[in-house]
């Protein structure tokens, strides 16, 4: 090929490649990735061995282009699987102001089928649920109260620095030897993630699952206090290079450290393990590249097999 032709096709190929990326970025948000993971919980009761827990995160309903279709798809997949519990790690809405009612209604109607199917569903709230698009924004407590009431009216228990006993699947009996606790941590950006206060509500060696929105909250856990924890918030970076999850658009554009997805290796105190879900919605632009929305199923184990 002559040099001029090579130059011509080189110049033409750049916008064509960018156009392809944008096109794919608009398609990938609708390709739900179902991840299967094992979660090790020391002192896990035998009755919980092998049970499954599902996690979804970051619906971001109310953005100028949201992903409600994939939210509903994830709910359908969960109902098919029928896990022992569902954990939703915050950011139900995006910027549902000044009138939050339509977005809250859409969120509730999208996930209500979980509780109608009698699957115990629990949640914590994220920064967008407080109307915070940056750490400098003042939390909007009226918005939080409205969202929390709507979720709980739909049967979804919202935890803010609280601990509950997870109901044992397939039985009404819950003795001391079968207790598994769920630890729900409040919003980090709203300065409401009180880890020590929350951990004081349970015995030190008790088996537990820890639910939070922002991975930054994980750093406050003392050693062995969070052997299995889940978070969201980062969207997996949303747009990222193949095989280099830390090189992502959100890692470069946001002030926070971005733990892209999956197990955050080397992060937190000894004996603690955090899984970061990529979420379903978007931040700023409705595109995902090399970062499909995620639904995660965890199989609970007392030790590695």
């Amino acid at each position: 090929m002559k040099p001029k032709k090579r130059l011509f096709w080189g110049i033409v190929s750049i916008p064509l490649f960018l156009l392809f990326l944008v096109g794919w970025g608009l398609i990938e948000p609708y390709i739900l990735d179902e991840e299967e993971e094992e979660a090790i919980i020391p002192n896990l009761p035998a009755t919980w061995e092998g049970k499954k827990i599902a996690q979804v995160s970051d619906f971001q309903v109310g953005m100028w282009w949201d992903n409600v279709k994939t939210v509903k798809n994830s709910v359908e997949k969960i109902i098919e699987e029928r896990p022992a519990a569902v954990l939703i790690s915050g950011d139900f809405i995006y910027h549902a102001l000044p009138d939050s009612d339509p977005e809250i209604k859409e969120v509730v109607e999208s996930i209500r089928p979980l509780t109608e199917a009698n699957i115990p569903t629990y949640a914590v709230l994220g920064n967008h649920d407080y109307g915070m698009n940056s750490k400098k924004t003042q939390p909007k407590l009226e918005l939080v109260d409205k969202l929390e009431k709507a979720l709980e009216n739909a049967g979804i228990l919202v935890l803010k620095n609280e601990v509950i006993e997870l109901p044992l699947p397939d039985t009404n009996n819950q003795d001391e030897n079968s207790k598994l606790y769920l630890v729900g941590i409040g919003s980090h950006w709203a300065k409401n993630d009180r880890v020590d206060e929350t951990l004081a509500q349970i015995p030190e060696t008790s088996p537990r699952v820890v639910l939070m929105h922002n991975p930054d909250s994980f750093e406050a856990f003392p050693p062995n206090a969070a052997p299995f924890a889940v978070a969201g918030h980062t969207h997996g970076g949303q747009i990222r290079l193949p095989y280099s999850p830390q090189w992502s658009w959100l890692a470069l554009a946001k002030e926070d450290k971005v733990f892209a997805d999956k197990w955050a290796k080397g992060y937190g105190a000894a004996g603690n393990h955090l899984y970061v879900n990529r979420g379903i919605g978007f931040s700023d632009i409705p595109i995902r590249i090399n970062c499909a929305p995620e639904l995660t199923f965890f199989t609970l184990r007392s030790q590695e097999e």
Side-chain angles (χ1 to χ4, degrees):
M1 186 180 292
K2 294 181 179 180
K4 287 185 178 181
K5 285 188 176 181
R6 283 201 298 267
L7 178 61
F8 171 78
W9 286 112
I11 293 172
V12 168
S13 64
I14 294 173
L16 287 176
F17 178 69
L18 292 175
L19 185 62
F20 168 79
L21 281 182
V22 172
W24 176 251
L26 293 170
I27 294 171
E28 189 170 307
Y30 300 101
I31 303 174
L32 182 64
D33 186 5
E34 293 182 58
E35 298 281 1
E36 294 278 352
E37 297 284 341
E38 282 197 350
I40 309 302
I41 302 178
N43 303 318
L44 180 71
T47 47
W48 278 93
E49 188 77 29
K51 300 294 185 185
K52 287 190 175 184
I53 287 179
Q55 183 203 8
V56 286
S57 190
D58 297 271
F59 299 155
Q60 308 283 44
V61 172
M63 186 178 163
W64 57 275
W65 183 290
D66 55 33
N67 202 13
V68 173
K69 181 178 179 180
T70 306
V71 174
K72 293 180 178 179
N73 187 19
S74 69
V75 169
E76 291 171 1
K77 297 289 186 181
I78 292 170
I79 293 172
E80 289 175 9
E81 189 71 23
R82 299 204 64 83
V86 179
L87 309 180
I88 306 176
S89 41
D91 272 5
F92 289 88
I93 55 180
Y94 193 66
H95 291 316
L97 296 172
D99 181 11
S100 60
D101 290 346
E103 285 79 7
I104 291 176
K105 181 180 179 181
E106 186 154 36
V107 164
V108 170
E109 293 307 310
S110 297
I111 59 180
R112 188 192 299 273
L114 292 171
T115 55
E116 291 178 341
N118 295 317
I119 301 176
T121 304
Y122 309 93
V124 292
L125 300 181
N127 51 288
H128 283 283
D129 300 322
Y130 281 79
M132 300 179 69
N133 64 340
S134 76
K135 294 179 181 178
K136 298 177 181 179
T137 307
Q138 287 298 313
K140 297 174 176 60
L141 301 182
E142 184 179 337
L143 173 61
V144 169
D145 290 341
K146 186 183 292 188
L147 175 60
E148 184 176 355
K149 288 176 182 176
L151 291 171
E152 295 199 336
N153 285 339
I156 297 163
L157 183 58
V158 180
L159 301 175
K160 291 188 288 188
N161 303 308
E162 298 172 81
V163 178
I164 64 160
E165 294 177 23
L166 286 171
L168 187 64
D170 308 321
T171 180
N172 292 323
N173 297 321
Q174 186 94 338
D175 59 34
E176 288 296 321
N177 296 321
S178 65
K179 288 183 178 179
L180 176 63
Y181 295 93
L182 175 61
V183 179
I185 301 299
S187 170
H188 180 71
W189 279 19
K191 296 181 170 50
N192 191 34
D193 51 344
R194 297 192 284 272
V195 171
D196 291 340
E197 174 186 316
T198 310
L199 290 175
Q201 300 174 36
I202 53 174
E204 186 175 342
T205 59
S206 61
R208 80 283 304 266
V209 179
V210 178
L211 173 63
M212 68 194 75
H213 174 68
N214 194 319
D216 287 354
S217 299
F218 188 67
E219 292 185 295
F221 279 83
N224 302 306
F228 170 44
V230 297
H233 181 65
T234 71
H235 302 189
Q238 198 167 309
I239 299 171
R240 64 192 197 191
L241 296 176
Y243 311 110
S244 303
Q246 295 294 348
W247 287 88
S248 68
W249 171 66
L250 285 184
L252 298 172
K254 303 294 182 181
E255 296 177 0
D256 287 346
K257 292 173 291 186
V258 174
F259 291 91
D261 71 304
K262 294 187 174 290
W263 300 101
K265 296 179 180 178
Y267 180 54
N272 295 338
H273 301 93
L274 176 68
Y275 188 93
V276 183
N277 185 289
R278 294 191 299 273
I280 287 176
F282 314 103
S283 181
D284 298 333
I285 56 175
I287 288 177
R288 283 178 174 265
I289 296 176
N290 193 40
C291 192
E294 178 179 358
L295 162 62
T296 316
F297 291 103
F298 297 96
T299 300
L300 305 185
R301 303 289 186 196
S302 56
Q303 57 186 0
E304 292 185 14
E305 292 189 333

